[in-house]
Amino acid sequence: MLKIAVLGAGRIGQVHAANVAHHNDAQLVMVADPFIDNANALTALYGGTAVNNPLDAINHQDIDAVVICTPTDTHVELMLAAARAGKAVLCEKPVDLDIRKAIAAEKALGEHASRVMLGFNRRFDAGHSETYQRIRNGEIGDLHQVIITSRDPGLAPMNYLKHSGGIFRDMVIHDFDLARWILGEEPVEVFATGSRLFEPSLEALGDYDTVMVQLRTASGKQCQINCSRQAVYGYDQRLEVFGSNGMMLNDNQRETSVRRYGPQETEVRGPLLNFFMQRYTEAYRHEMDVFISAIRNGSTVPVTIHDGCQALKLADAAQLSADTHTVVTVD
Ligand SMILES: NC(=O)c1ccc[n+]([C@@H]2O[C@H](COP(=O)([O-])OP(=O)(O)OC[C@H]3O[C@@H](n4cnc5c(N)ncnc54)[C@H](O)[C@@H]3O)[C@@H](O)[C@H]2O)c1
């Protein structure tokens, strides 16, 4: 049994705690949160001990691994403390909002980086990973273009947005990782446009509510990412890949596959799964399973802090591009 502590018992901490607790090869031993009511709520559901200091969990002899689900600006500090204590880590995205701090953390981890996994859950979505595999199997020939549509159902609270680091570093970071993974090459050019089409108050934060990004790799492969903070019809998550021998599309998921036909309308379908916790339920479960297996088997985790740093570089480039209306080169 891998003995795990979840650090941070908020939205994503709740998802990961449940998945640890229901895993056959892991045990939820501790939940740490300075807001102890949050930690208590999770231990009441899934067992384990609630503590208010994450370092108490990290340094506890009974803990083999920690899942970092705390606010972004605490990730690096907790990850490095866990590494010093010899503990494996699954850390939520992004690594940090400051690329220099993220790269310094990668350096500081050294060989321990093989036991520190980044929480880019979309790689573990069944449809996305099938698409990835079928591209590699040659089903659409040479990959030419990737189109990612990624829209949230509604704007996050202003309090969250103030500390989020902006739409590129907080939200599109998932799509930057997805793009790198699907393309199989690092993008070297970024062009982004950003608009405030429905939330003018984001101007004070230097943030946007609606963005489009274009990426180009050294060999010329292209990717377009369409992203909005507000889609009135729900959480819109689509992946289209186009190549020399065809196209593949991983479409949205719905609560029901039934379609209704009537006198006034046809093909009436139910709503999209509304947000990340519903749309990616299975992906989070699979992500945890892969993490636990890698640590138990002593193999390198499949998504590393290096992936986190590369995605953050693209986010920084997109922010600069949108702010300055220029094409930005990434190394
Ligand atoms: N992969 C995903 O799909 C996904 C989804 C949501 C959030 N996230 C990421 O997860 C992180 C947390 O986001 P959230 O939405 O769950 O936030 P949240 O505000 O809902 O929860 C954060 C929790 O951490 C606690 N906390 C604060 N400081 C702490 C510390 N030093 N030690 C332990 N606990 C601490 C807070 O009291 C709170 O309970 C962010 O970095 C976010 O970007 C990832």
Side-chain angles (χ1 to χ4, degrees):
M1 288 295 240
L2 194 72
K3 293 181 179 160
I4 296 183
V6 168
L7 316 181
R11 291 188 308 171
I12 201 70
Q14 293 164 27
V15 173
H16 290 314
N19 290 337
V20 171
H22 294 132
H23 200 283
N24 286 337
D25 300 321
Q27 188 186 348
L28 183 67
V29 175
M30 280 186 177
V31 179
D33 197 309
F35 187 55
I36 196 73
D37 287 354
N38 279 359
N40 280 328
L42 285 188
T43 54
L45 280 173
Y46 305 118
T49 307
V51 293
N52 55 23
N53 185 346
L55 293 176
D56 289 348
I58 286 171
N59 294 315
H60 201 285
Q61 57 179 12
D62 287 348
I63 298 297
D64 303 316
V66 298
V67 185
I68 300 177
C69 309
T70 53
T72 299
D73 61 357
T74 65
H75 290 180
V76 164
E77 175 203 332
L78 294 174
M79 179 192 292
L80 295 180
R84 281 193 295 275
K87 309 296 167 76
V89 176
L90 171 59
C91 179
E92 264 311 333
K93 50 52 66 176
V95 179
D96 195 80
L97 297 178
D98 181 344
I99 186 64
R100 289 161 304 183
K101 206 171 150 194
I103 290 172
E106 182 184 354
K107 238 184 184 168
L109 284 177
E111 290 192 353
H112 197 81
S114 66
R115 304 182 74 218
V116 176
M117 180 159 147
L118 249 286
F120 285 127
N121 55 287
R122 293 186 194 176
R123 293 194 190 203
F124 302 96
D125 175 71
H128 290 350
S129 61
E130 182 182 332
T131 306
Y132 172 92
Q133 201 47 59
R134 290 174 66 172
I135 295 169
R136 266 74 194 166
N137 293 347
E139 286 191 37
I140 58 163
D142 296 329
L143 179 64
H144 290 171
Q145 291 181 323
V146 176
I147 299 169
I148 298 171
T149 299
S150 181
R151 301 185 180 123
D152 274 5
L155 196 71
M158 241 343 131
N159 251 353
Y160 176 87
L161 294 174
K162 272 184 197 156
H163 306 286
S164 69
I167 189 167
F168 295 111
R169 295 184 190 93
D170 175 52
M171 187 176 161
V172 194
I173 193 108
H174 278 294
D175 307 298
F176 289 128
D177 181 67
L178 188 61
R180 294 178 58 243
W181 181 59
I182 293 286
L183 287 165
E185 292 175 19
E186 294 294 346
V188 293
E189 270 176 21
V190 180
F191 178 64
T193 56
S195 302
R196 290 172 278 270
L197 296 179
F198 62 90
E199 191 52 60
S201 67
L202 288 173
E203 189 171 3
L205 306 180
D207 202 359
Y208 305 104
D209 54 39
T210 308
V211 298
M212 271 199 182
V213 184
Q214 285 191 201
L215 306 172
R216 186 177 180 281
T217 68
S219 76
K221 289 178 186 162
Q222 299 164 341
C223 174
Q224 184 189 55
I225 301 170
N226 309 311
C227 183
S228 169
R229 287 255 189 213
Q230 181 171 281
V232 293
Y233 52 87
Y235 191 43
D236 191 358
Q237 298 283 293
R238 283 172 282 154
L239 172 66
E240 181 180 313
V241 292
F242 171 77
S244 58
N245 201 34
M247 195 265 278
M248 282 191 292
L249 180 63
N250 185 31
D251 213 339
N252 278 306
Q253 291 179 2
R254 293 160 199 272
E255 286 165 17
T256 170
S257 57
V258 175
R259 305 175 192 194
R260 181 171 57 77
Y261 293 70
Q264 308 298 341
E265 54 207 351
T266 57
E267 300 235 26
V268 180
R269 306 175 71 182
L272 306 183
L273 292 181
N274 195 48
F275 209 7
F276 62 90
M277 289 199 260
Q278 292 75 33
R279 169 63 181 81
Y280 290 115
T281 304
E282 281 306 317
Y284 292 122
R285 206 169 285 157
H286 185 41
E287 175 183 66
M288 185 58 73
D289 190 36
V290 168
F291 171 67
I292 290 168
S293 300
I295 301 309
R296 290 181 82 236
N297 298 335
S299 47
T300 298
V301 295
V303 193
T304 62
I305 186 167
H306 183 70
D307 293 309
C309 290
Q310 291 303 107
L312 191 57
K313 278 187 195 172
L314 293 175
D316 284 352
Q319 183 78 49
L320 180 63
S321 174
D323 292 348
T324 57
H325 309 282
T326 54
V327 176
V328 176
T329 307
V330 184
D331 56 32

